[in-house]
């Protein structure tokens, strides 16, 4: 009979984890609604089928503005073409206007700009997203809309080409939005600081409805209760979306593969969930978690979301303020002597938040939260490729995640 030691040892000696990670990167960036995402879905489905258990593909139609192309030109005081990327969710548009530089784009920056933003092009900076003090891109976009801006530009802070990320929800008041490189942002900021700077932004996008699917596999335990271990498999058109989130999706497969022989002995069963359209407002997991019938929702004891689990040797658990999740983290850390930092604020930055909104204890495991030297700084850029992922770091993160899932399954022991 398989043992926990066998399962943990196989994570380190086996080749399947790295194989799955590489295969997902081979699919490309996996932007939701793209052929790249469909290829990844097909691959993940076949791997889940190999594990066994009860399988389900929970399909739904998603409608959104699918990005096609963008062009950005500085038209005054000089003329210059700038590197640009249409953001998922952005409506199409052809906007000519004055650039208003809002710095980081905090709420106070928008308040200070006042009427200057009416009909203008708002310029903000992307921030390292994994600190409690940062302001998310979607807040900046909404503030720009409310201020009457005609378009929205967000500049990369990491220097690796344009920055990606969703913007817009299909609302009638959505405005064209694009990501630009750090150098393009600096060019526009200098021009705006020297006097009136004007640009022309052209965004091509298409309103589409496409079939999406959340992939689910149940490995029953001794009772009707479940612990969900989940990750999103969609990404962005840039690079390979390797850290975000080929690492998490490959980890879910590995945990299912190694724990399948043990699941029947656990108090709670293990439910593997691979969600899509996460990068468009956590849509896949929100549809799943908040759409569950009451009895099925109550049967989920806890959820552990794996998202960007490499990039720094220090792991962090975003616990949504749950004392129970913190106890599980402390228990695993004590048993393994591998410290996991706890981050308590409720942060809507991954699929764990969808379960939290549904009243289910949840956490997100992530690498290097609050660490300025974390490679997760490269997320949402063309630098998010497989060469940034240390195989040993990935195995270590999967080992910790496996123990967290097991602790949640049998925490009454």
């Amino acid at each position: 009979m398989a043992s926990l030691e066998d399962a943990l040892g196989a994570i380190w000696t086996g080749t399947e984890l790295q194989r799955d990670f590489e295969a997902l990167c081979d699919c490309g960036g996996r932007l939701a609604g793209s052929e790249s995402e469909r290829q990844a879905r097909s691959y993940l489905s076949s791997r889940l089928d190999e594990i066994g258990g009860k399988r389900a593909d929970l399909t739904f139609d998603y409608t959104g503005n699918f990005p096609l192309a963008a062009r950005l030109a500085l038209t005054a005081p000089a003329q210059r073409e700038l590197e640009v990327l249409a953001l998922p969710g952005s409506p199409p548009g052809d906007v000519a206007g004055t650039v208003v530089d809002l710095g980081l784009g905090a709420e106070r920056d928008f308040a200070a700009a006042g009427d200057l933003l009416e009909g203008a092009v708002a310029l903000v900076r992307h921030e390292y997203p994994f600190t409690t003090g940062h302001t998310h891109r979607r807040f900046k976009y909404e503030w720009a809309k409310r201020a009457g801006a005609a378009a929205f530009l967000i500049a990369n802070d990491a220097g690796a080409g344009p920055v990606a990320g969703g913007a817009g929800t299909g609302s009638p008041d959505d405005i064209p939005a694009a990501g630009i490189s750090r150098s393009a942002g600096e060019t526009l900021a200098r021009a705006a600081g020297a006097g009136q700077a004007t640009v022309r932004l052209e965004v091509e996008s298409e309103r589409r409805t496409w079939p999406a699917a959340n992939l689910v596999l149940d490995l029953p335990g001794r009772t009707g209760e479940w612990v969900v271990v989940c990750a999103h498999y969609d990404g962005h058109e840039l690079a390979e979306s390797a850290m975000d989130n080929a690492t998490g999706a490959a980890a879910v497969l590995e945990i299912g593969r190694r724990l399948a022989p043990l699941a029947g002995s656990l108090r709670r069963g293990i439910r593997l969930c691979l969600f899509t359209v996460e990068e468009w407002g956590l849509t896949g997991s929100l549809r799943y978690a908040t759409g569950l019938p009451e009895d099925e929702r109550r049967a989920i004891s806890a959820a552990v979301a794996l998202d960007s689990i490499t990039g720094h040797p220090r792991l962090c658990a975003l616990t949504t303020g749950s004392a129970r999740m913190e106890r599980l983290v402390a228990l695993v850390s004590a048993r393994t002597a591998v410290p996991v930092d706890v981050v308590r604020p409720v942060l809507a930055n991954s699929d764990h938040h969808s379960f939290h909104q549904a009243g289910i204890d949840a956490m997100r495991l992530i690498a290097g939260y609050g660490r300025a030297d974390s490679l997760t700084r490269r997320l949402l850029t063309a630098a998010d490729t497989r060469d940034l992922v240390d195989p040993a770091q990935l195995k270590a993160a999967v080992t910790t995640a496996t123990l967290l899932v097991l602790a949640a399954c049998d925490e009454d022991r």
Side-chain angles (χ1 to χ4, degrees):
M1 183 183 219
S3 67
L4 174 58
E5 290 74 16
D6 294 332
L8 297 179
I11 294 171
W12 288 90
T13 60
T15 60
E16 294 91 339
L17 173 61
Q18 189 66 24
R19 173 202 65 188
D20 292 338
F21 169 72
E22 297 273 353
L24 289 170
C25 291
D26 287 342
C27 292
R30 307 182 303 282
L31 177 67
S34 69
E35 179 59 29
S36 172
E37 183 228 15
R38 288 189 284 273
Q39 290 175 5
R41 182 191 312 158
S42 176
Y43 178 84
L44 292 166
S45 292
S46 66
R47 292 301 178 215
L48 287 171
D49 289 340
E50 291 173 1
I51 294 173
K54 182 181 178 182
R55 278 274 288 115
D57 290 350
L58 307 180
T59 59
F60 60 94
D61 286 340
Y62 183 77
T63 301
N65 290 319
F66 190 87
L68 299 174
R71 178 177 175 268
L72 177 66
L74 177 65
T75 55
Q79 294 188 356
R80 181 175 173 183
E81 294 284 333
L82 299 172
E83 197 173 7
V84 65
L85 177 76
L87 297 184
S90 169
D94 187 344
V95 176
T98 301
V99 176
V100 176
D101 183 8
L102 296 152
L104 286 178
E107 191 169 16
R108 62 178 177 275
D109 298 321
F110 282 90
D115 294 339
L116 291 176
L117 276 170
E118 185 69 38
V121 176
L123 170 65
V124 302
R125 307 308 186 277
H126 176 69
E127 300 175 60
Y128 177 49
F130 303 130
T131 60
T132 54
H134 93 289
T135 302
H136 195 278
R137 172 189 63 259
R138 290 190 178 275
F139 286 107
K140 301 178 186 190
Y141 181 74
E142 289 299 320
W143 293 333
K145 290 194 325 184
R146 292 177 194 173
F152 177 83
L153 296 174
I154 184 166
N156 193 358
D157 67 335
V163 65
T169 60
S171 172
D173 64 346
D174 280 351
I175 57 177
I180 61 177
S181 65
R182 180 174 180 174
S183 61
E186 291 171 346
T187 295
L188 293 179
R190 283 193 299 268
Q196 190 176 63
T198 61
V199 296
R200 181 178 179 184
L201 172 66
E202 300 171 71
V203 172
E204 295 180 41
S205 64
E206 184 177 80
R207 191 74 173 164
R208 293 181 182 176
T209 298
W210 63 84
N214 294 325
L215 312 179
V216 179
L217 171 64
D218 282 350
L219 302 171
R222 293 185 285 106
T223 70
E225 292 185 301
W226 299 94
V227 171
V228 168
V229 55
C230 62
H232 70 91
Y233 64 90
D234 66 310
H236 296 280
E237 62 183 288
L238 293 172
E240 296 172 332
S241 298
M243 287 183 290
D244 180 20
N245 187 32
T247 58
V252 168
L253 291 179
E254 181 73 354
I255 291 170
R257 184 182 297 121
R258 303 309 177 192
L259 294 186
L262 302 176
S265 67
L266 303 174
R267 175 183 175 184
R268 300 179 178 93
I270 300 168
R271 176 168 293 167
L272 310 181
C273 293
L274 291 164
F275 296 120
T276 190
V277 208
E278 189 268 358
E279 301 288 4
W280 304 54
L282 311 181
T283 299
S285 58
L286 272 172
R287 289 183 68 102
Y288 175 79
T290 60
L292 288 168
E294 179 63 17
D295 58 335
E296 292 186 33
R297 185 193 65 79
R298 292 175 63 86
I300 298 177
S301 173
V304 179
L306 309 178
D307 193 347
S308 307
I309 58 174
T310 69
H312 195 279
R314 191 85 173 199
L315 289 171
C316 305
L318 279 56
T319 60
T320 60
S322 167
R324 178 180 167 221
M325 293 294 96
E326 292 183 22
R327 286 197 298 272
L328 293 177
V329 171
L331 175 65
V332 170
S333 294
R335 287 180 174 175
T336 62
V338 177
V340 177
D341 297 332
V342 168
V343 179
R344 292 189 173 91
V346 177
L347 300 171
N349 59 14
S350 192
D351 294 316
H352 69 298
H353 185 68
S354 299
F355 288 91
H356 172 71
Q357 285 190 297
I360 298 167
D361 284 325
M363 73 171 79
R364 172 187 180 174
L365 197 66
I366 181 176
Y369 191 95
R371 306 278 174 157
D373 58 337
S374 177
L375 292 177
T376 52
R377 184 175 289 279
R378 308 289 183 86
L379 302 187
L380 306 180
T381 76
D384 188 6
T385 57
R386 70 188 79 189
D387 60 296
L388 295 186
V389 175
D390 180 348
Q393 202 174 91
L394 179 57
K395 290 178 180 180
V398 172
T399 300
T400 298
T402 301
L403 293 170
L404 283 169
V405 171
L406 283 172
C409 286
D410 258 4
E411 65 179 315
D412 59 323
R413 290 188 178 179

